[in-house]
Amino acid sequence: QVQLVESGGGLVQAGGSLRLSCAASGRTFSRYAMGWFRQAPGKEREFVAAIRWTGGSTDYADSVKGRFTISRDTAKNTVSLQMNSLEPLDTAVYYCAATGRPYISDPNEYSTWGQGTQVTVSS
């Protein structure tokens, strides 16, 4: 069974930075992409960023373009999300996920999820 474990969340002031990491463990699994999603209280889970495991091309939600950067380390089986210029609207639980399908901005296409890590941005 594959497990995804996120780390790096916390409390930060507006304008600050955080780096989230996601480590995959368990049996070897193939994936098309890994992504980051977030869910704020009372809202649906939304796409943040994704990276294709082969080639490393990336996609971002418009709301985070230019502020967030997703990266992967294929040797360590990890994916990271560098978040800069954080805003209070970025406050949410952030989830790491893996998919074997190409529709990488749709959370319904992801089959493996981490437990989530809280990010809180104060104004």
Side-chain angles (χ1 to χ4, degrees):
Q1 186 175 356
V2 175
Q3 286 187 318
L4 302 178
V5 179
E6 302 99 334
S7 61
L11 173 64
V12 65
Q13 287 189 332
S17 298
L18 281 175
R19 185 176 180 86
L20 305 183
S21 294
C22 174
S25 63
R27 65 172 175 83
T28 301
F29 73 109
S30 62
R31 78 217 80 172
Y32 179 81
M34 293 191 71
W36 287 95
F37 293 79
R38 66 187 182 187
Q39 188 166 19
K43 295 189 175 182
E44 293 187 352
R45 191 167 298 189
E46 65 173 1
F47 171 72
V48 175
I51 186 165
R52 293 167 182 81
W53 203 248
T54 300
S57 61
T58 57
D59 283 359
Y60 294 93
D62 287 344
S63 59
V64 306
K65 279 181 182 176
R67 300 189 298 123
F68 291 11
T69 302
I70 188 171
S71 60
R72 83 215 190 295
D73 186 326
T74 56
K76 294 183 178 179
N77 221 6
T78 59
V79 62
S80 298
L81 185 69
Q82 178 65 42
M83 305 186 294
N84 299 328
S85 302
L86 283 161
E87 305 167 355
L89 285 177
D90 295 317
T91 296
V93 177
Y94 283 70
Y95 297 90
C96 170
T99 181
R101 297 171 61 80
Y103 308 104
I104 62 176
S105 64
D106 184 349
N108 295 315
E109 296 294 320
Y110 285 74
S111 57
T112 304
W113 291 84
Q115 82 288 351
T117 185
Q118 177 71 46
V119 171
T120 303
V121 185
S122 63
S123 56

